[in-house]
Amino acid sequence: MSPQQHQHHHRSSSSSLTAHQSNSNSTSDDNTNTPPAYTFGLLTDIQHAPIPDGHSFTGNARYYRHAMEAAASAAQHFQEERVNCVVNLGDIIDGKCADVQRWGGEVDTKEETQSNGDKIISVGHDAIDNVLQALSVYSGKILHTYGNHELYNLSRDRLAEKLNIPFTLEDT
């Protein structure tokens, strides 16, 4: 799939994710022009990484840098459609952020200080910032979850801070 096809795929996916009101009392004779009571958008598997395009471990084509354009396009669509809330189902970065040199990318050695004073250097951390910037076109609420690819790159504490995810430890 070319980047153009990939972008079209993302636009098509985001276009179909506006939900309409569900009412168990409705009949087929109801007015179909009634606007939805609440709308939401879904994002999943953006998988951005600052590396050249390549393939997943299973051989599927991946457009790592183009993922930013697709994310921005989805955010713009959600903004234009006035979607009430967006849910990010995770994997906004790719696991390959953990070793970008191996995959042909360059490491930016910029240090950042966390709220607790710890210094960090993390390509994954910067990649999440880049995706959040691309999504910032959407002015509504985004509820984030995390995927395995985020966990390959950042600790749960860093993800909680970065994505505003309230982690809870369960008693065992």
Side-chain angles (χ1 to χ4, degrees), residues 8-64:
H8 177 72
H9 171 75
H10 277 278
R11 281 193 191 135
S12 299
S13 297
S14 66
S15 297
S16 64
L17 295 175
T18 301
H20 292 279
Q21 181 178 8
S22 174
N23 185 343
S24 60
N25 297 326
S26 66
T27 66
S28 59
D29 295 333
D30 285 346
N31 182 356
T32 58
N33 292 328
T34 303
Y38 193 81
T39 56
F40 66 95
L42 293 176
L43 293 169
T44 190
D45 296 289
I46 294 171
Q47 294 187 293
H48 165 63
I51 60 174
D53 293 341
H55 294 85
S56 68
F57 291 109
T58 59
N60 295 323
R62 291 279 171 84
Y63 303 99
Y64 299 107

Side-chain angles (χ1 to χ4, degrees), residues 22 38 41 43 47 49 60 64-65 74 93-94 98 116 120 129 155:
S22 174
Y38 193 81
L43 293 169
Q47 294 187 293
N60 295 323
Y64 299 107
R65 293 184 182 174
I93 61 172
D94 193 84
N116 66 1
I120 58 169
D129 284 344
S155 69

Side-chain angles (χ1 to χ4, degrees), residues 86 89 91 99 124 160:
V86 171
L89 298 176
D91 287 347
D99 191 1

Side-chain angles (χ1 to χ4, degrees), residues 22 58 69 83 112 115 144 156 167 171:
S22 174
T58 59
E69 291 175 40
V83 171
E112 185 171 320
S115 61
H144 295 281
R156 281 182 168 79
F167 287 100
D171 294 331

Side-chain angles (χ1 to χ4, degrees), residues 93-167:
I93 61 172
D94 193 84
K96 292 180 179 178
C97 288
D99 191 1
V100 295
Q101 287 181 317
R102 176 180 175 197
W103 303 106
E106 295 181 20
V107 176
D108 179 4
T109 57
K110 178 182 74 171
E111 264 189 11
E112 185 171 320
T113 304
Q114 281 189 269
S115 61
N116 66 1
D118 289 348
K119 302 278 188 197
I120 58 169
I121 299 172
S122 170
V123 173
H125 186 74
D126 291 342
I128 287 176
D129 284 344
N130 293 340
V131 173
L132 294 177
Q133 179 62 39
L135 296 175
S136 70
V137 171
Y138 173 69
S139 63
K141 177 77 171 165
I142 300 179
L143 302 173
H144 295 281
T145 61
Y146 63 92
N148 58 317
H149 289 266
E150 283 86 13
L151 292 173
Y152 298 149
N153 288 276
L154 286 90
S155 69
R156 281 182 168 79
D157 289 339
R158 287 187 187 159
L159 285 171
E161 183 177 322
K162 179 77 51 196
L163 299 176
N164 195 26
I165 299 173
F167 287 100

